[in-house]
Amino acid sequence: MHSEAIDPTGVEWTRVDDKYITVRYISTITSWLITIAIVAAPVVADAMLGWGIPDWLKWPVLAVLLVWAVIDIVLVPRRVRAIGYFERADDLLIRRGILFQRVVAVPYGRLQYVDIEAGPLMRKFGLCTVQLKTASAATDATIPGAVRSEGARLRDELSVRGQARLAGL
């Protein structure tokens, strides 16, 4: 993964699995189809029942919505490839974002628990989301799209590291 200005020096990010791109495509396209159907329903009703919605309102709104949907769908692979994590000695770094980048450092000593979650779509592709819960809600973090075996390894490893750091306090 290309290192950006926000990234700490010397960090080689571990990326999430590429199958997560397919999962994000499916969920993003489904969300947009539902949204467009809801917004287009009054336009269809207007065409059938003659409600009188002005053309200057309905067509620009639909056009903007379609352009926004296309851009959102096209950016899915870049967004997924921007997600990464790196295990350091004292904390776990999690990176995400293209335009608005975010790097979160989760100290092992502040971990309260590590949770693994996988819905039906994620299970179909053998993926999971690793959720890190800390003493402060500001440092809670997630790693979506991890392979299930890597998610289990992270859960076990981070739990052990968290207990070791907590015991040293």
Side-chain angles (χ1 to χ4, degrees), residues 26-167:
I26 293 169
S27 62
T28 302
I29 290 170
T30 302
S31 296
W32 277 112
L33 287 175
I34 292 169
T35 302
I36 290 169
I38 290 170
V39 172
V43 174
V44 171
D46 178 50
M48 293 174 64
L49 303 173
W51 284 358
I53 299 174
D55 286 343
W56 62 266
L57 177 63
K58 61 183 169 186
W59 300 121
V61 168
L62 285 175
V64 167
L65 197 63
L66 285 173
V67 168
W68 187 3
V70 168
I71 291 170
D72 192 30
I73 292 166
V74 166
L75 288 176
V76 164
R78 288 197 61 205
R79 286 187 186 128
V80 170
R81 289 188 181 109
I83 301 170
Y85 61 94
F86 182 74
E87 297 174 68
R88 296 196 300 187
D90 295 322
D91 56 13
L92 176 72
L93 296 177
I94 301 174
R95 179 194 195 284
R96 67 181 335 139
I98 300 171
L99 185 59
F100 297 99
Q101 298 175 349
R102 182 177 183 196
V103 175
V104 177
V106 181
Y108 298 132
R110 295 191 53 97
L111 282 175
Q112 291 184 329
Y113 67 93
V114 181
D115 191 18
I116 294 181
E117 177 181 281
L121 192 56
M122 295 280 269
R123 283 195 312 268
K124 168 98 171 99
F125 287 92
L127 303 174
C128 67
T129 298
V130 180
Q131 296 180 334
L132 309 168
K133 299 295 182 180
T134 64
S136 168
T139 55
D140 286 356
T142 60
I143 304 171
V147 177
R148 293 177 81 178
S149 60
E150 176 66 3
R153 185 198 69 79
L154 279 171
R155 179 195 58 216
D156 297 341
E157 180 68 24
L158 297 176
S159 296
V160 168
R161 289 183 184 185
Q163 286 298 325
R165 296 296 189 286
L166 194 60

